[in-house]
Amino acid sequence: MDDATATPAVLKQRILRRIDECGLEGVDFLICMFFSALTSYRRSTLCDPFPPFHTRGDTKDWNTVDNLLRTLPDVKKLAQLLNNEGNEDVGSISLEHLRIVDWLLDKNIRLKIVKSEEISHRLGFNSSASQSSTHHHYPSLAFEILHETADSPFHQLRDVHGFQNAFHGSQFENFWSILNKGLQVRFSKETSIFGDGIYLSDDPLVAHNFVQSNKVWENSALGGRLGCVCGCEVLSHPDVRKGRRGNTNGIMVDHQLPESYIVVQRNHHLLVKYLLVYSEPKVIKYANSSSTMRRLMSSSMVVFLYILLLILIACVKSPTIKKWWKTSSLLR
């Protein structure tokens, strides 16, 4: 919502309400998705939607929005500040910060955190088997996307054709657009090997192979880098193509497709329902600083001794030094 007349107190209450709905992790994840899109070299395509109050005509104020997010406190501290301040003054949080957070959270889409056991049951993959993999394919965190629109073309067709679960892996910087616009056929044309369409798999491990993690918002508590897989509902429709594997559920079999692959050629034949998040821990630059200093000092000492040795060798071989030494000896 672009509400230029909203007071800090109103913005504060709206943000706190959204934090209660999405949880700290959900709010953190939303900021991370937008920040990753914002800092991508493809930001003009990926930052959709973009805050309208930082847009003039076709010009977007990238630098201001980037600075606002970088100076925003972490979500836990933000909630504490908003809860502790008075109704008319939110203290150290500027109006610009409040507006950008309010805009990020004020969407027709909500995120709801889902427990590990529940996501395994809903999507049909075994957590213990995935956790035993050397690549740790089981997600660190999972969210359900709560869509407010229940009368969309997808929902109408789902009642007729039914659906099956499928997975799609991508670069993390793409997920702000995916969350708000869904998966789009037009974005997959350049990488389509088996024809135009959105490529998915009924095997989450296959989808995970296409995950590309990105650095995220510096104040995030979720990790230093995040990757993501979409858990989707795909219509069991004749226009959807699938490689031969198991029950095709009414989907057309395409023998040219690898096993477990699914290709959706129409945007409204799938719905992004879940976001499976893979977190990599932050690297703390000052960790083990004492051992690092010891290594640096040892290296410096070795270099110093080596240089001293070279100087001594040069002195021994120098004719001037030899002459001086002989003269000194005679004088004695």
Side-chain angles (χ1 to χ4, degrees):
M1 181 184 295
D2 181 17
D3 188 355
T5 62
T7 65
V10 171
L11 294 173
K12 165 188 166 181
Q13 293 303 322
R14 286 207 300 238
I15 293 170
L16 287 173
R17 185 169 66 251
R18 294 290 186 257
I19 292 175
D20 287 338
E21 293 172 355
C22 297
L24 297 177
E25 297 94 339
V27 175
D28 195 330
F29 188 58
L30 284 168
I31 297 173
C32 284
M33 283 191 289
F34 181 67
F35 184 80
S36 185
L38 180 70
T39 53
S40 168
Y41 74 94
R42 297 187 295 127
R43 63 187 182 182
S44 57
T45 301
L46 299 178
C47 278
D48 184 16
F50 187 83
F53 45 90
H54 287 294
T55 305
R56 290 187 177 182
D58 295 331
T59 303
K60 297 176 179 179
D61 192 349
W62 304 107
N63 292 335
T64 297
V65 175
D66 182 281
N67 183 63
L68 284 171
L69 291 184
R70 291 182 188 276
T71 55
L72 185 70
D74 65 77
V75 176
K76 184 176 181 180
K77 184 175 181 181
L78 174 67
Q80 290 173 341
L81 288 170
L82 293 177
N83 275 310
N84 292 336
E85 298 290 344
N87 289 330
E88 298 302 325
D89 181 14
V90 292
S92 59
I93 308 173
S94 70
L95 178 61
E96 289 76 14
H97 283 106
L98 290 173
R99 291 188 72 196
I100 194 73
V101 175
D102 179 62
W103 175 83
L104 280 166
L105 303 183
D106 190 26
K107 298 284 180 292
N108 293 327
I109 297 171
R110 299 283 183 269
L111 294 182
K112 176 186 176 184
I113 195 165
V114 183
K115 293 182 179 179
S116 300
E117 310 78 36
E118 191 174 354
I119 203 70
S120 299
H121 175 72
R122 291 187 191 183
L123 296 179
F125 63 94
N126 186 282
S127 63
S128 59
S130 296
Q131 285 176 327
S132 64
S133 167
T134 55
H135 297 291
H136 303 287
H137 293 103
Y138 198 69
S140 311
L141 203 62
F143 295 98
E144 180 182 3
I145 303 173
L146 304 177
H147 300 268
E148 291 189 354
T149 305
D151 58 348
S152 66
F154 172 84
H155 288 91
Q156 294 172 12
L157 289 170
R158 186 179 66 174
D159 294 338
V160 176
H161 297 280
F163 72 93
Q164 72 170 76
N165 293 317
F167 305 88
H168 176 87
S170 184
Q171 283 185 277
F172 186 72
E173 63 185 25
N174 295 332
F175 276 87
W176 176 252
S177 175
I178 290 172
L179 175 69
N180 289 280
K181 304 294 182 179
L183 288 167
Q184 301 283 319
V185 173
R186 63 190 177 96
F187 290 130
S188 64
K189 290 184 180 293
E190 295 180 0
T191 57
S192 299
I193 301 174
F194 301 101
D196 291 345
I198 301 163
Y199 283 63
L200 306 99
S201 174
D202 58 10
D203 185 346
L205 301 185
V206 173
H208 188 273
N209 290 331
F210 295 90
V211 170
Q212 295 184 42
S213 62
N214 293 119
K215 289 183 178 180
V216 293
W217 180 45
E218 295 172 359
N219 291 329
S220 173
L222 302 181
R225 297 176 66 89
L226 296 180
C228 196
V229 167
C230 300
C232 303
E233 294 180 355
V234 177
L235 292 179
S236 299
H237 192 282
D239 289 345
V240 177
R241 299 156 52 210
K242 181 178 181 181
R244 179 176 289 280
R245 169 175 160 162
N247 185 7
T248 58
N249 294 320
I251 296 177
M252 184 185 77
V253 175
D254 187 337
H255 296 281
Q256 293 182 343
L257 289 176
E259 285 189 1
S260 86
Y261 272 45
I262 297 172
V263 178
V264 178
Q265 296 170 303
R266 299 177 185 274
N267 296 336
H268 62 275
H269 282 178
L270 66 78
L271 180 74
V272 180
K273 184 67 175 175
Y274 301 97
L275 296 175
L276 313 180
V277 186
Y278 300 85
S279 174
E280 298 178 20
K282 290 184 177 180
V283 177
I284 302 175
K285 296 179 180 179
Y286 50 82
N288 300 320
S289 58
S290 58
S291 60
T292 302
M293 286 299 296
R294 285 195 296 270
R295 286 196 299 270
L296 287 173
M297 291 176 67
S298 299
S299 300
S300 300
M301 182 61 68
V302 170
V303 172
F304 172 75
L305 292 174
Y306 179 69
I307 293 173
L308 183 60
L309 178 62
L310 291 177
I311 293 172
L312 289 173
I313 293 172
C315 290
V316 170
K317 292 183 177 182
S318 171
T320 304
I321 297 295
K322 288 179 179 180
K323 186 177 179 180
W324 174 81
W325 182 261
K326 288 180 180 180
T327 304
S328 308
S329 300
L330 291 172
L331 291 175
R332 292 198 197 110

